Amino acid sequence: MPSVRGVRIYVTGTAKHRKRPDSMVSVSKITGDNRRFLFLQGPHGPFFSRLSRMLRAAGAQTLRVGFNRGDQAFWGDTSRYIPFTKTLEDWPDTLTGLLTDHAITDVVLYGDSRPVHARAVEIARDQGITVHVFEEGYLRPFWVTYERGGANGHSRLINFSIDEIRARLHRADHEPMEIPDHWGDMRQHIFYGALYHAFVLCANGRYRALKTHRSIPVSAEFRLYLKRLLLMPWLRAERAIATARVRRGGFPYHVVLLQLDHDASFLAHSGFADSAEFLTAVVNGFAAGAPGHHHLVVKAHPLEDGRGNPRAALFRAARQAGIAGRVHFLRGGKLARLLDHARSAVTVNSTSGQQVLYRGLPLRSFGSAVYAKPELVSDQPVDAFFADPKRPDRLAYQDFRQFLLETSQVAGGFYSLRGRRQLLRLVVDMMLLADDPYDALNQGTAAPRQQLHAQGRAT
């Protein structure tokens, strides 16, 4: 496959799916008639509101349950808004009543692991109601994830072998799509996060009975978002200096991809209590197995706000292992450039592992992840991995990635205006189809997907 490093990628066309014989084709109009969608919590910002508007244009009915003032502020349509002002213990009975009273056919949510959503998925599944799950893209940052029933560790992908993926992929004519390393909505993501928590902090009176999944008070979370916004120029400069030291150091290095301690995928599917426990295991394995001239570069999540203080945990573990001089900490930054010269990478179950596999680098993952297939990730002990890491089957990963692009990955984003426009062009039709993305590909009913072409140099 030709390299496209340093190239900006644009969505400019469509990929064709193989048509079934006429005798097998069933024609169905994409319509929302007789569909009633109940929205729960979504990404920070107006995406769910825009999605609801387009579903109504297709003939569907929509309602929204809000759990705080931030949910309410970004929905806007008071005639279709239901505030939940009770306790978490009251939620199952309240939801069951809503599903029955409003004849709900579909539930829409962002992330399936937070307590109110985990319970909602169970109740909806028991009643035969379709659950539409949105998540950050498995192939970040250009795509978002759309699945039914569950995502991440609850995704159907977990049970698909590479052989089954290849068999399903043969249903589609496709050309390989390249993965860009920049989308451009991080500033919007942080802005909407700060604004959301400001609403919760300043105007949440009627919702105070509900104890949320947050590990810290909302006032502290708001201060962290605001602090990050104000310090972005300084953090950018610090990151540039630290990255330059690594890139110009002339030493072989291995990358550790951190996640947020409060990230639902980390909490529900990792096996670690926090990042400090994960870092201790990695540092000890590196000290025992890696050659003495190799270094360890730990890259924080782009939205890391300091609540878990991973930097302090890292250097505490490094000092105890006697390798403090061979350890580096980066506050976010462009992963692609860092991986270009890395020897391997380690993560719990970060979606950034996909960029590692795309480059053919050895990857050791610890948690439940959609890409954790025997052909793709190493199961070596940590010290053995750093001593002699096992490389992935690159052909298997190319097929796996293409399968994602043909099914659960939808071009666009939640936070920027451009990203939302791109996402809504396709995802509404996917939601209205009878088949989920995986079955739609297998049955030949999937909508044409966007194809990517390289046009010009990246900035």
Side-chain angles (χ1 to χ4, degrees):
M1 178 183 300
S3 172
V4 293
R5 187 174 301 164
V7 178
R8 186 180 297 280
I9 310 296
Y10 294 90
V11 177
T12 60
T14 59
K16 296 180 179 178
H17 287 268
R18 181 172 297 148
K19 296 182 178 179
R20 293 182 294 174
D22 292 341
S23 61
M24 297 175 61
V25 174
S26 59
V27 179
S28 61
K29 180 181 178 182
I30 296 178
T31 176
D33 294 348
N34 302 317
R35 302 282 290 275
R36 293 177 176 268
F37 290 81
L38 181 67
F39 285 75
L40 303 184
Q41 289 194 295
H44 297 153
F47 171 68
F48 264 15
S49 178
R50 304 296 185 268
L51 177 60
S52 167
R53 183 186 305 172
M54 191 167 288
L55 284 168
R56 293 199 303 274
Q61 299 296 315
T62 63
L63 290 171
R64 171 77 183 269
V65 176
F67 300 86
N68 57 54
R69 188 63 177 84
D71 292 342
Q72 183 176 341
F74 285 118
W75 184 255
D77 188 346
T78 57
S79 66
R80 295 180 174 86
Y81 182 80
I82 303 170
F84 179 75
T85 58
K86 299 179 181 180
T87 66
L88 187 60
E89 289 71 25
D90 297 315
W91 172 235
D93 288 341
T94 300
L95 175 63
T96 300
L98 289 172
L99 296 177
T100 301
D101 294 345
H102 296 278
I104 298 300
T105 61
D106 301 78
V107 171
V108 187
L109 49 85
Y110 170 72
D112 62 0
S113 295
R114 63 185 70 181
V116 294
H117 286 175
R119 194 71 183 96
V121 171
E122 293 175 3
I123 293 171
R125 184 185 296 122
D126 289 343
Q127 297 192 21
I129 292 172
T130 301
V131 179
H132 306 266
V133 181
F134 285 90
E135 256 293 2
E136 303 295 339
Y138 296 147
L139 297 178
R140 295 187 200 180
F142 193 82
W143 290 273
V144 305
T145 296
Y146 166 71
E147 297 204 64
R148 296 191 188 175
N152 293 313
H154 298 138
S155 169
R156 290 183 64 191
L157 273 170
I158 296 292
N159 298 318
F160 285 172
S161 68
I162 293 296
D163 287 341
E164 184 175 0
I165 284 171
R166 282 170 166 160
R168 288 173 176 257
L169 195 57
H170 281 308
R171 300 276 185 174
D173 290 325
H174 61 269
E175 297 178 1
M177 302 181 188
E178 304 299 343
I179 300 178
D181 59 14
H182 181 69
W183 178 228
D185 64 359
M186 184 58 66
R187 289 191 300 274
Q188 294 92 330
H189 192 164
I190 296 173
F191 168 77
Y192 280 128
L195 186 58
Y196 179 93
H197 289 96
F199 279 116
V200 177
L201 176 64
C202 300
N204 211 46
R206 69 190 302 194
Y207 299 95
R208 293 194 184 280
L210 179 64
K211 302 300 181 184
T212 70
H213 64 285
R214 294 184 180 89
S215 59
I216 62 174
V218 67
S219 57
E221 195 158 0
F222 168 72
R223 287 194 295 270
L224 289 171
Y225 269 102
L226 182 60
K227 179 181 177 181
R228 182 169 178 81
L229 275 174
L230 296 175
L231 292 180
M232 282 185 74
W234 183 85
L235 293 173
R236 189 180 299 113
E238 180 198 45
R239 182 175 66 236
I241 294 171
T243 303
R245 288 174 179 166
V246 172
R247 296 180 65 191
R248 299 172 184 174
F251 44 74
Y253 62 84
H254 307 257
V255 176
V256 181
L257 304 172
L258 288 185
Q259 295 161 253
L260 300 175
D261 275 356
H262 57 283
D263 177 78
S265 181
F266 179 89
L267 292 172
H269 307 298
S270 75
F272 292 101
D274 52 33
S275 293
E277 183 180 343
F278 166 62
L279 285 170
T280 298
V282 172
V283 167
N284 290 340
F286 180 82
H293 61 294
H294 285 208
H295 287 225
L296 191 67
V297 180
V298 177
K299 182 183 180 298
H301 189 279
L303 293 175
E304 174 60 52
D305 54 23
R307 73 181 68 181
N309 203 352
R311 187 180 187 279
L314 169 66
F315 285 105
R316 181 169 57 250
R319 286 192 298 271
Q320 293 173 351
I323 59 168
R326 296 162 56 199
V327 170
H328 309 263
F329 182 81
L330 303 183
R331 298 182 186 273
K334 289 186 179 297
L335 177 59
R337 295 176 183 175
L338 185 64
L339 291 177
D340 283 345
H341 304 287
R343 299 295 299 273
S344 73
V346 176
T347 186
V348 174
N349 55 7
S350 171
T351 56
S352 296
Q354 300 264 7
Q355 291 198 42
V356 179
L357 295 171
Y358 175 66
R359 287 165 172 77
L361 296 175
L363 176 65
R364 177 66 162 89
S365 68
F366 290 81
S368 179
V370 296
Y371 55 77
K373 312 295 183 186
E375 296 88 346
L376 306 182
V377 302
S378 170
D379 61 356
Q380 298 168 271
V382 186
D383 55 347
F385 176 80
F386 283 121
D388 185 21
K390 174 185 173 183
R391 296 176 65 89
D393 180 337
R394 193 153 189 178
L395 291 178
Y397 179 67
Q398 288 175 3
D399 289 336
F400 175 76
R401 184 192 67 176
Q402 189 63 36
F403 182 71
L404 293 182
L405 292 171
E406 297 280 1
T407 54
S408 65
Q409 302 306 285
V410 190
F414 299 123
Y415 307 104
S416 70
L417 178 60
R418 184 179 62 163
R420 289 192 298 273
R421 287 171 175 168
Q422 186 65 43
L423 178 55
L424 290 170
R425 288 188 177 106
L426 182 60
V427 78
V428 175
D429 286 358
M430 295 175 68
M431 295 175 70
L432 294 175
L433 284 175
D435 297 321
D436 80 351
Y438 306 116
D439 289 338
L441 179 66
N442 204 40
Q443 298 296 329
T445 60
R449 307 306 296 269
Q450 294 94 339
Q451 189 169 348
L452 305 178
H453 299 284
Q455 294 187 4
R457 285 278 166 188
T459 55

